Amino acid sequence: MSREIEVRGQTVDNAIEIGLTKLGLNRSDVIVDVIDEGSRGILGLGAREAVVRLLPMTPAVPEQKAEPAPARPTPVKPTPAKVAPTPTKIVTPPVPPQTPVIVQQEETAVTPITSEELALERDTAVAILQTILDHMQIEADIHTAVTEPDDMTGQPINLIEITGPDLGVLIGPRGDTLVSLQYMARLIASHQLKNKANFVIDVEGYRERRKQALARLAERMASKVIKQQRPVSLEPMPANERRVIHMILRDHAAVYTQSTGEGSQRRVRIHPKR
Amino acid sequence: MAEDTSGSKALLEYIVKSVVDNPDEVQVTEAGYAREKILQLQVAASDMGRVIGKGGRVINAIRALVQVAAAKEGAQVTVEILE
């Protein structure tokens, strides 16, 4: 069984649909690579079919597999769950003063956060998470750390790490439950603090693993763009994941990245540099 | 939450009360069966939008979390909002 399949359809969405049916997978189980967006042409003249390539992904949490995945070598080697007894620091790469790379400003700029505000947000977040975990009857450890100032917003961010046995349920298929957990915890914290909470929650190093998988994807797609000398679009991703791709490729000699599309359809497009 | 032993019900109450303006008007009633629970949620009319969220984003996140708690209890749970 081939790892990737290429599908044609009238539109990109149509082609994706056909491909997913072929693979028997959900939209969230594959990375979509738009090869040709197709064109309706004018009055049916010059119409081109859309071509997409679907790359099945193995979920980072195998026990969460919802659909029977096709047997194939795992491209994403799950790194052993990081046991972090001590808070870890996320070190972001140094920013060169000037980069020709087009990186979209994804985060909204905020006023500088003080260390008191950070500490208050951290304590609020930990209390909320502890309550949620208690109600879920999940025993886990909560560690906190503050990231280096983010190189896009210049703000340090509270990182709340949850570690413990059997936390796959907190991550969910493709990280969906973790997304919900962070969303609700931020919403509750914002309500309590009367101020927008911006902390990041990670469970068992999932975000870190996902970041590494995205980094590999970025490198692979960049090589492809160089080889074909034409732009490639990645699947739609949330802002933080698009950012990982932008960051990885920002210093790349031969490609640059851009985000296109709106809302949940926003995706990274990798272009060859001329 | 103190008088309630059900994790999923207590979790639902906690989350909803934490995001509304009128926590005193939040009511959760349990129905259904032991393994197929239905949690019926009532909130003040003015808080409805807050609990549902844009495009149902909030209620969907709440459902995802309540389901984790229910799974620990060996149950499936449906969260309904009563108008």
Side-chain angles (χ1 to χ4, degrees), chain A residues 4-7 12 15-16 27 30-37 50-55 217 220-221 224-225 228 230-236 267-270:
Chain A
E4 289 186 356
I5 64 162
E6 209 173 284
V7 215
V12 170
I16 292 172
R27 183 69 182 79
V30 295
I31 290 180
V32 178
D33 175 3
V34 178
I35 291 160
D36 191 334
E37 283 171 1
V51 184
V52 299
R53 193 171 291 161
L54 302 184
L55 171 65
L217 172 77
R220 213 169 55 233
M221 289 303 162
K224 194 170 131 181
V225 168
Q228 301 184 343
R230 64 177 191 195
V232 164
S233 286
L234 306 184
E235 64 167 327
R267 58 181 77 205
V268 176
R269 204 165 159 80
I270 307 176

Side-chain angles (χ1 to χ4, degrees), chain A residues 128 131-132 135-138 169 177 179-181 183-184 187-188 191, chain B residues 1 7 10-11 14-15 18-21 57-58 61 64-65 68 72:
Chain A
I128 292 165
T131 310
I132 291 178
H135 285 314
M136 288 178 171
Q137 296 165 54
I138 288 175
V169 287
T177 310
V179 168
S180 295
L181 181 66
Y183 181 73
M184 277 323 296
L187 200 62
I188 295 171
H191 194 71
Chain B
M1 63 185 92
L11 180 65
Y14 166 72
I15 293 177
S18 304
V19 295
V20 296
D21 289 329
R57 175 134 200 227
V58 175
L65 298 184
V68 173
K72 281 273 169 180

